PDB file of all heavy atoms in Angstrom:
ATOM      1  N   ALA A 111      80.354 103.550   3.978  1.00 91.00           N
ATOM      2  CA  ALA A 111      80.496 102.944   5.294  1.00 91.00           C
ATOM      3  C   ALA A 111      81.688 102.023   5.388  1.00 91.00           C
ATOM      4  O   ALA A 111      82.373 101.959   6.380  1.00 91.00           O
ATOM      5  CB  ALA A 111      79.209 102.266   5.803  1.00 91.00           C
ATOM      6  N   PRO A 199      62.358  97.072   7.289  1.00 31.00           N
ATOM      7  CA  PRO A 199      63.224  96.131   7.887  1.00 31.00           C
ATOM      8  C   PRO A 199      62.664  95.650   9.212  1.00 31.00           C
ATOM      9  O   PRO A 199      62.143  96.398   9.927  1.00 31.00           O
ATOM     10  CB  PRO A 199      64.521  96.941   8.044  1.00 31.00           C
ATOM     11  CG  PRO A 199      64.071  98.321   8.079  1.00 31.00           C
ATOM     12  CD  PRO A 199      62.983  98.407   7.233  1.00 31.00           C
ATOM     13  N   GLY A 203      61.029  86.887  15.871  1.00 33.00           N
ATOM     14  CA  GLY A 203      61.443  86.511  17.241  1.00 33.00           C
ATOM     15  C   GLY A 203      61.512  85.078  17.455  1.00 33.00           C
ATOM     16  O   GLY A 203      61.779  84.610  18.632  1.00 33.00           O
ATOM     17  N   THR A 497     124.999 114.161  41.553  1.00 77.00           N
ATOM     18  CA  THR A 497     124.962 115.202  40.575  1.00 77.00           C
ATOM     19  C   THR A 497     126.004 116.276  40.801  1.00 77.00           C
ATOM     20  O   THR A 497     126.115 116.787  41.949  1.00 77.00           O
ATOM     21  CB  THR A 497     123.574 115.870  40.553  1.00 77.00           C
ATOM     22  OG1 THR A 497     122.622 114.834  40.341  1.00 77.00           O
ATOM     23  CG2 THR A 497     123.474 116.913  39.483  1.00 77.00           C
ATOM     24  N   TYR A 591     120.807 142.836  36.775  1.00 86.00           N
ATOM     25  CA  TYR A 591     120.829 141.406  36.528  1.00 86.00           C
ATOM     26  C   TYR A 591     119.770 140.991  35.529  1.00 86.00           C
ATOM     27  O   TYR A 591     118.760 141.674  35.339  1.00 86.00           O
ATOM     28  CB  TYR A 591     120.616 140.621  37.828  1.00 86.00           C
ATOM     29  CG  TYR A 591     119.305 140.881  38.563  1.00 86.00           C
ATOM     30  CD1 TYR A 591     118.174 140.156  38.224  1.00 86.00           C
ATOM     31  CD2 TYR A 591     119.318 141.869  39.538  1.00 86.00           C
ATOM     32  CE1 TYR A 591     117.001 140.474  38.974  1.00 86.00           C
ATOM     33  CE2 TYR A 591     118.083 142.168  40.275  1.00 86.00           C
ATOM     34  CZ  TYR A 591     116.962 141.372  40.028  1.00 86.00           C
ATOM     35  OH  TYR A 591     115.800 141.598  40.549  1.00 86.00           O
ATOM     36  N   GLN A 618     129.167 136.118  46.275  1.00 51.00           N
ATOM     37  CA  GLN A 618     127.850 135.531  46.051  1.00 51.00           C
ATOM     38  C   GLN A 618     127.505 134.765  47.317  1.00 51.00           C
ATOM     39  O   GLN A 618     128.250 133.882  47.810  1.00 51.00           O
ATOM     40  CB  GLN A 618     127.944 134.525  44.900  1.00 51.00           C
ATOM     41  CG  GLN A 618     126.606 133.862  44.554  1.00 51.00           C
ATOM     42  CD  GLN A 618     126.648 133.048  43.242  1.00 51.00           C
ATOM     43  OE1 GLN A 618     127.432 133.432  42.381  1.00 51.00           O
ATOM     44  NE2 GLN A 618     125.931 132.006  43.199  1.00 51.00           N
ATOM     45  N   CYS A 661     103.887 127.380  55.949  1.00 90.00           N
ATOM     46  CA  CYS A 661     103.337 126.093  56.314  1.00 90.00           C
ATOM     47  C   CYS A 661     101.921 125.997  55.761  1.00 90.00           C
ATOM     48  O   CYS A 661     101.042 126.823  55.979  1.00 90.00           O
ATOM     49  CB  CYS A 661     103.233 126.093  57.938  1.00 90.00           C
ATOM     50  SG  CYS A 661     102.357 124.626  58.561  1.00 90.00           S
ATOM     51  N   ARG A 857     123.394 118.631  57.142  1.00 90.00           N
ATOM     52  CA  ARG A 857     122.708 119.392  58.200  1.00 90.00           C
ATOM     53  C   ARG A 857     121.574 118.576  58.760  1.00 90.00           C
ATOM     54  O   ARG A 857     120.680 118.176  57.976  1.00 90.00           O
ATOM     55  CB  ARG A 857     122.207 120.772  57.607  1.00 90.00           C
ATOM     56  CG  ARG A 857     123.155 121.408  56.535  1.00 90.00           C
ATOM     57  CD  ARG A 857     124.168 122.144  57.110  1.00 90.00           C
ATOM     58  NE  ARG A 857     125.096 122.803  56.120  1.00 90.00           N
ATOM     59  CZ  ARG A 857     124.902 123.988  55.599  1.00 90.00           C
ATOM     60  NH1 ARG A 857     123.749 124.625  55.874  1.00 90.00           N
ATOM     61  NH2 ARG A 857     125.851 124.590  54.794  1.00 90.00           N
TER      62      ARG A 857
END
Side-chain angles (χ1 to χ4, degrees):
T497 304
Y591 58 89
Q618 181 173 330
C661 176
R857 320 284 179 82

